[in-house]
Amino acid sequence: MTTPLLTTRIHPGPDPVLLIHGLASNGTAEWERTGFVAALAAVGRGAIVVDLPGHGAGPALARGAATTSDLGAALGDLIAESGQEQGDVIGYSMGARLAWAVAGTGRVRRLVLGALSPMDPFGALDVDALQKAVGGAAPSDPMVGMFAQMLRTPGLDAAAVVGLIDALHAEPFDFHEDVPAVPTLFLAGVDDQMSQGAERLADAVPGSQLVRVPGDHFAAVASPEFRDQAVAFVAA
């Protein structure tokens, strides 16, 4: 199913868990091929797998067409459309940032945030320069160059991903605001430099847990330890 902001695939089962992938990935690569959906099915849960704009089968998105709040609301609507007043949500990296926004809609029962950084790379990013770099201009800012290189990943619609990044840039992340008031598990790779400040996040969310798993920022989500921790938390 495709909406103006999201494409979704529903894996049947009770109380489906909403799964939100990270930047330069997609729902198939992050959740379906890694056995995550199968692990949820093994504990009697369905899954709602999302492709964000510009990723996988995700829709196009122009700059200025959406904000983080718009995306959070659209993701929260998926929980309601699944027949749940509140549902469990697992997000990774950029997907964790969006999962935090979903918690603000009141639709979330339990929350798993993987590889979330207390620093906001999107808020600090020069999106105009990124758009030019995607078009072939040589960036002078190393961060812009890093993001431009990521957007060259095969299978991405770079223009739509710039639109998604612009949505996140429009509402910079502050982990002291809209703090989730639901049971929350933070998962971070032991070699993930981007989430080395995860303790600050856990301290900001009352009653939350932080667990370190093997891997760096790109590998941790595929580790059995990440999957087992996340599935056990939402199955409790």
Side-chain angles (χ1 to χ4, degrees), residues 24-131:
S25 185
N26 57 68
T28 296
E30 204 142 279
W31 308 119
E32 293 170 329
R33 289 179 185 161
T34 58
F36 220 99
V37 170
L40 287 169
V43 296
R45 302 292 296 275
I48 306 167
V49 178
V50 173
D51 278 346
L52 295 168
H55 297 75
L61 183 67
R63 288 188 63 183
T67 64
T68 304
S69 296
D70 295 330
L71 290 158
L75 289 160
D77 287 345
L78 297 177
I79 296 172
E81 291 164 7
S82 74
Q84 304 176 90
E85 290 188 11
Q86 291 184 314
D88 298 332
V89 180
I90 302 173
Y92 193 78
S93 191
M94 178 181 67
R97 168 67 188 97
L98 291 171
W100 184 290
V102 180
T105 69
R107 296 285 189 187
V108 176
R109 178 174 54 214
R110 283 171 294 209
L111 187 62
V112 178
L113 302 173
L116 183 63
S117 172
M119 308 300 292
D120 180 14
F122 304 109
L125 188 64
D126 185 339
V127 184
D128 290 333
L130 176 62
Q131 187 170 30

Side-chain angles (χ1 to χ4, degrees), residues 15 31 45 47-48 54 73 83 89 108 118 126 140-141 169 177 180 183 197 202 208 214 221 227:
D15 298 329
W31 308 119
R45 302 292 296 275
I48 306 167
V89 180
V108 176
D126 185 339
S140 58
D141 183 340
H169 175 82
E177 297 180 358
S208 65
V221 67
R227 182 179 63 240

